[in-house]
Amino acid sequence: MLAIKKQALASASRVLFRTNVLSGLAAGAARAYHSKLYKSSDEAIEGVKSGNTLLIGGFGLCGIPENLLKAIARRKDIQQLTAVSNNAGTADYGLGTLLQSHQIKRMVSSYVGENKEFSRQYLGGELEVELLPQGTIAERVRSGGAGIPAFYTLTGVGTQVETGGIPIKYNKEGEVVIASEPRETKVFNGRKYLMEEGIVGDFALVKAWKGDELGNLVFKYAASNFNAPMATAGKITIAEVEEIVPVGELKPNEIHISGIHVHRILKGETYEKRIEKLTLRRSAEEESELPEAMKQRIHIIKRAAREFQDGMYVNLGIGMPVLASNYIDPSITVHLQSENGILGMGPFPTAEEVDADLVNAGKESVTVLPGGTCFSSDVSFGMIRGNRLDMTILGGMQVSSRGDLSNWMVPRKMVKGMGGAMDLVSAPKSRVVVTMTHTSKDGSPKILQENTLPLTGVQCVDRIITDKCVFDVIPNKGLLLRELSYGQTVDSIRASTGCSFEVASDVAETY
């Protein structure tokens, strides 16, 4: 018994000693730490060399490491880079400046978008471009940072992501000289999945709102995007921030990226914080003065807005679909998700509400409603793949009679990239609604028996809404004409549709 008492007293003494030490630290005792602070962006990129793989944070121009990219651009001796980034900024800013200076050999991206220099170099055979679904890039980078060599995903099943053959490099004659490789597949619970490998970079260049000398980072609004996963996956991560704060000022529960991931940090010299597509809320009077093409788009999207139901979680694709946020019935609540990291997205802002750190997936300025949240791209696509969304509305170039969708590429002519569309249509429990004009500019039908363009998803579309009508895709049967736009008839729809369809008994003009 005496031995037990002595042991208990010794244990109590050790606990008391530790408590006193911790109390001393909590009382304000100085903590010694190794500062990771660098004086300039030029100093911070020391060691970056030709042939490196760089992970670049940001989405469009939102949250890009402006100063670090300028520093790389000043180093003309750094060549043959591989840049892993969702996109490449604009032709004259952000990552686009490294394309202009021809310092990049290969881009690993999901979206070319409106960057004409990016598209020109790719189609002209000057640049290698490895196009991947946006959520796949986010998860490959997150996995690389977490030490996971590979994972399986539904995204891309049945498309060229699975079978290979997506052009990576053209020659001057427009012939494909490097193409993507087929993916390894495996069946889980009766469904086919693709294997994707984790990505790790030699350097990660990221941008945050605030940081301290330990490398702890805080992002603002949607500027978390790809910055958060990229920060974890660099062998050396360099973070630039708008504000350096004293160690301890950032509360533990406020920190988004722990300093363990960050090797170098600096206060950015200057910030332009450009907005790629400054978009403001329109009044009813302004809408009436819009060009006919825009009025046609609004006509389609107002019908699409009727798809919303109270309490739904919905993703709106770039372009026409995102306009639906302005036409939600005010009597219902719809939680809009933008894949770059917003839930609770509101309408376009007024001039006074504009914030460069709040953009949607189309790089347009937006607002966030009360109760909304912002998060990183890997978290966003976890919501999508995890079937948290009730519905996705996205645009299309072609839809087949069985619901196959094409919306990302016209080989050798136009390359937008798949963006997040492949991820969105692969979620098996999310309803997919496609909005598009019924015919192309030349009058040719966009609803066909079989798609002629590369696929975004196989048998994934549930409903098609055009300027002429509404079709439902009935599994194993084909298309059913549900509604007509005012002025349309069943015969006019047959004349402008490239496949056969059935007609609902109650079909009528409804919009």
Side-chain angles (χ1 to χ4, degrees), residues 461-482:
V461 178
D462 296 292
R463 173 163 282 188
I464 309 165
I465 301 174
T466 77
D467 52 311
K468 296 179 182 293
C469 70
V470 175
F471 278 120
D472 278 346
V473 181
I474 309 301
N476 304 315
K477 291 185 178 180
L479 299 181
L480 178 66
L481 180 62
R482 285 286 190 190

Side-chain angles (χ1 to χ4, degrees), residues 383-461:
M383 295 175 184
I384 292 166
R385 286 191 306 272
N387 288 304
R388 304 303 180 191
L389 298 180
D390 298 297
M391 183 169 66
T392 291
I393 302 178
L394 69 170
M397 295 178 183
Q398 292 179 344
V399 180
S400 77
S401 61
R402 63 176 193 163
D404 302 330
L405 172 66
S406 299
N407 73 349
W408 66 278
M409 185 184 197
V410 179
R412 299 185 183 181
K413 292 183 179 180
M414 188 279 290
V415 182
K416 291 291 186 183
M418 59 280 285
M422 284 191 180
D423 304 276
L424 287 160
V425 302
S426 69
K429 295 182 182 179
S430 179
R431 178 173 169 80
V432 174
V433 176
V434 170
T435 57
M436 64 181 188
T437 56
H438 203 92
T439 60
S440 300
K441 291 180 180 179
D442 63 3
S444 59
K446 295 165 73 172
I447 301 172
L448 306 167
Q449 189 64 35
E450 296 288 342
N451 295 39
T452 59
L453 298 176
L455 296 181
T456 303
V458 176
Q459 298 184 43
C460 59
V461 178

Side-chain angles (χ1 to χ4, degrees), residues 233-376:
K235 295 175 183 176
I236 297 176
T237 292
I238 310 171
E240 62 170 81
V241 298
E242 295 180 42
E243 182 182 355
I244 296 284
V245 301
V247 171
E249 182 170 315
L250 300 177
K251 301 298 185 287
N253 60 305
E254 296 175 336
I255 294 167
H256 296 135
I257 292 293
S258 170
I260 194 171
H261 297 295
V262 178
H263 304 84
R264 305 173 188 176
I265 190 169
L266 71 143
K267 184 180 185 299
E269 290 90 341
T270 59
Y271 284 105
E272 293 186 42
K273 296 187 72 169
R274 296 185 188 181
I275 299 175
E276 193 167 338
K277 296 180 183 177
L278 178 59
T279 311
L280 302 179
R281 200 175 306 163
R282 297 188 185 98
S283 66
E285 293 76 18
E286 288 172 320
E287 279 192 9
S288 66
E289 299 172 0
L290 292 172
E292 286 304 314
M294 180 56 75
K295 289 180 182 178
Q296 182 186 51
R297 288 156 64 92
I298 291 175
H299 174 67
I300 296 169
I301 217 62
K302 282 183 174 179
R303 170 57 191 84
R306 298 183 197 171
E307 299 294 306
F308 297 133
Q309 296 179 22
D310 193 28
M312 269 188 167
Y313 289 89
V314 180
N315 179 282
L316 301 179
I318 64 173
M320 191 191 311
V322 80
L323 296 172
S325 63
N326 299 289
Y327 303 104
I328 297 173
D329 183 340
S331 68
I332 67 173
T333 298
V334 178
H335 308 280
L336 297 180
Q337 197 250 23
S338 186
E339 62 259 37
N340 59 309
I342 302 174
L343 183 63
M345 184 174 65
F348 296 132
T350 63
E352 294 73 27
E353 294 173 323
V354 171
D355 191 313
D357 292 316
L358 266 179
V359 300
N360 61 23
K363 294 93 175 175
E364 299 166 308
S365 46
V366 291
T367 57
V368 174
L369 299 176
T373 58
C374 295
F375 33 83
S376 60

Side-chain angles (χ1 to χ4, degrees), residues 57-62 64 86-87 134 225-226 340 359-363:
F59 187 91
L61 297 181
C62 178
I64 62 171
N86 182 63
N87 40 28
Q134 189 178 141
N225 51 59
F226 275 87
N340 59 309
V359 300
N360 61 23
K363 294 93 175 175

